[in-house]
Amino acid sequence: MTATPYARSVPFGNDRLEDVALQYIPAQRQLVVTFYYQGVSFALFCLNDGGALQPIRVVHHLRKDDGNLRVQLMEAVLNDRLEELYRAVSSAGPGFRAYVHREIGADFQI
């Protein structure tokens, strides 16, 4: 299953999330939101707890940046702002709600 493009740009604080895409993984009950933040690729993992999505963690997974302190700091900051990050993505447009209802179910809470 491939990621579904969601938004080209989403406001987040004083900056923007770019190239936001969504992918639901039913076997793991996780929604993965991929995006670029300040030119670096990240993924936000949200757990389907049976009634709502809960943001659980942001990761950066490119090996070329493993030793990059700036990227590590950005990942830590994004993890500190999980709820704000999730709200920014989920409220950016009606496409998020439509995707979640299509992939998870019509009675699911955002």
Side-chain angles (χ1 to χ4, degrees):
M1 177 179 275
T2 61
T4 301
Y6 167 56
R8 180 77 179 120
S9 183
V10 172
F12 179 64
N14 293 329
D15 216 332
R16 302 191 78 66
L17 308 175
E18 304 291 337
D19 297 328
V20 182
L22 309 173
Q23 180 178 4
Y24 186 66
I25 305 169
Q28 296 177 355
R29 297 182 8 207
Q30 288 185 345
L31 175 68
V32 181
V33 180
T34 57
F35 59 92
Y36 286 88
Y37 180 66
Q38 296 182 2
V40 180
S41 175
F42 291 96
L44 166 64
F45 289 87
C46 301
L47 180 64
N48 171 355
D49 70 2
L53 287 170
Q54 300 297 321
I56 52 175
R57 184 176 178 146
V58 172
V59 297
H60 170 73
H61 55 82
L62 297 178
R63 292 212 186 277
K64 70 177 184 146
D65 292 328
D66 278 352
N68 188 325
L69 292 178
R70 177 179 169 264
V71 172
Q72 291 173 8
L73 177 62
M74 288 170 53
E75 183 176 356
V77 167
L78 289 172
N79 273 300
D80 287 346
R81 298 172 69 187
L82 275 178
E83 291 294 328
E84 182 184 352
L85 180 62
Y86 177 74
R87 275 193 310 273
V89 170
S90 64
S91 64
F96 185 85
R97 181 174 297 280
Y99 180 86
V100 168
H101 286 292
R102 182 177 69 244
E103 295 296 323
I104 300 174
D107 59 344
F108 198 81
Q109 298 295 316
I110 306 276

